[in-house]
Amino acid sequence: MTDDQVFRALQNCGAVNIKSHFCLTPKEIPPGSGIKRHFHSDTFIAKDRVFEYARELYCLAQEIADRHLMQTQNRPCDFVLGLEKGAIALANLVCHHLQISGHDHVRAGYAEAKPGGGFTIGRGFARNYTGRTVLIVEDIVVSGTSVRDAMEAVRENAGIPFGIWAICLRGDADTGGVPLNYLCKVDGAQMWAEEECPLCADPKWGPTSVRTDINKHGPEFFKRMNLPIPL
Ligand SMILES: [Zn+2]
């Protein structure tokens, strides 16, 4: 697959939406204050969509496995670790493609999010990681916090973070010096506080151009603004 084909596959799943007007998930600012602030953007990454399309996910996982093998000159890793929840399916499929490419020893595992932040590798898998190389796979990487936390969990279990593969990179992630690879990158996404949104202020767009078909926050915005939801 070329980078364009990867991008189109994600668009076909409805995962990557660009050059439009979206209401994002509200954020509590400051955290714990109970005050929710609303944001608008010209880009919306619906990462869960890709997991509804098994055929596309299978092809994307194959692409990650192929590129990883090419990059490492056929030295894959001992484990493919997915970050819950969506990337668990991705880890299994990448592992499958590595196994059928002649690397039968590769195993899949997953990292669970801890309630207070960070990740843990539990459920009996931890003992297997000692001295083993671990490839971390993730659906979308934004700041890199999740993959850094996952690498910490790998090191806590005496494993060796070997690399990171993401389906999509949005932003400039810091992965603590471990190579970050991705199938496609979404550049230049804009985000604004709802009350300062230039698209809402632009007569050519206006508040009624907020998309109601992509996420639940669009229809909620119309309700909040007492606007009739477009059919
Ligand atoms: Zn707006």
Side-chain angles (χ1 to χ4, degrees):
M1 289 171 105
T2 63
D3 290 0
D4 279 354
Q5 284 170 327
V6 168
F7 196 71
R8 270 203 300 280
L10 291 171
Q11 281 188 311
N12 290 344
C13 300
V16 178
N17 304 278
I18 55 172
K19 295 178 185 169
S20 192
H21 190 182
F22 305 99
C23 192
L24 305 180
T25 307
K27 285 184 187 169
E28 201 178 61
I29 299 176
S33 65
I35 302 166
K36 282 195 170 173
R37 292 200 60 196
H38 300 278
F39 296 88
H40 289 195
S41 178
D42 60 351
T43 302
F44 185 74
I45 312 286
K47 61 181 191 173
D48 291 341
R49 291 286 81 77
V50 74
F51 299 109
E52 295 175 353
Y53 292 78
R55 188 177 48 201
E56 276 77 4
L57 186 62
Y58 183 90
C59 294
L60 294 168
Q62 182 171 23
E63 192 61 23
I64 287 177
D66 288 350
R67 292 192 193 188
H68 177 65
L69 287 176
M70 197 181 295
Q71 197 180 60
T72 59
Q73 296 176 335
N74 235 21
R75 290 172 51 244
C77 56
D78 296 310
F79 282 93
V80 184
L81 188 75
L83 312 194
E84 75 161 354
K85 299 184 170 76
I88 298 173
L90 180 65
N92 276 281
L93 286 171
V94 171
C95 179
H96 163 78
H97 286 297
L98 292 173
Q99 287 177 341
I100 62 172
S101 300
H103 304 283
D104 217 17
H105 72 283
V106 180
R107 296 290 178 265
Y110 64 94
E112 289 176 82
K114 289 194 280 193
F119 283 92
T120 182
I121 305 169
R123 298 183 193 257
F125 290 119
R127 66 183 180 279
N128 298 331
Y129 285 80
T130 304
R132 306 284 182 84
T133 53
V134 180
L135 176 70
I136 291 168
V137 295
E138 177 62 310
D139 38 34
I140 289 171
V141 171
V142 181
S143 66
T145 305
S146 293
V147 286
R148 283 202 308 278
D149 287 347
M151 286 192 292
E152 195 52 44
V154 169
R155 290 186 183 111
E156 278 168 10
N157 288 282
I160 304 161
F162 187 57
I164 304 157
W165 266 99
I167 293 175
C168 181
L169 173 66
R170 176 185 167 167
D172 295 307
D174 169 12
T175 52
V178 175
L180 169 65
N181 306 282
Y182 48 87
L183 295 181
C184 79
K185 186 175 184 190
V186 176
D187 275 323
Q190 304 279 321
M191 187 179 88
W192 315 277
E194 184 169 274
E195 57 280 11
E196 293 164 7
C197 173
L199 296 179
C200 283
D202 185 337
K204 276 186 275 178
W205 288 79
T208 54
S209 65
V210 166
R211 295 280 295 272
T212 55
D213 57 333
I214 298 294
N215 60 21
K216 65 178 182 180
H217 311 298
E220 283 171 3
F221 168 75
F222 275 77
K223 251 190 202 169
R224 217 167 45 244
M225 296 292 128
N226 285 321
L227 291 166
I229 296 176
L231 295 172

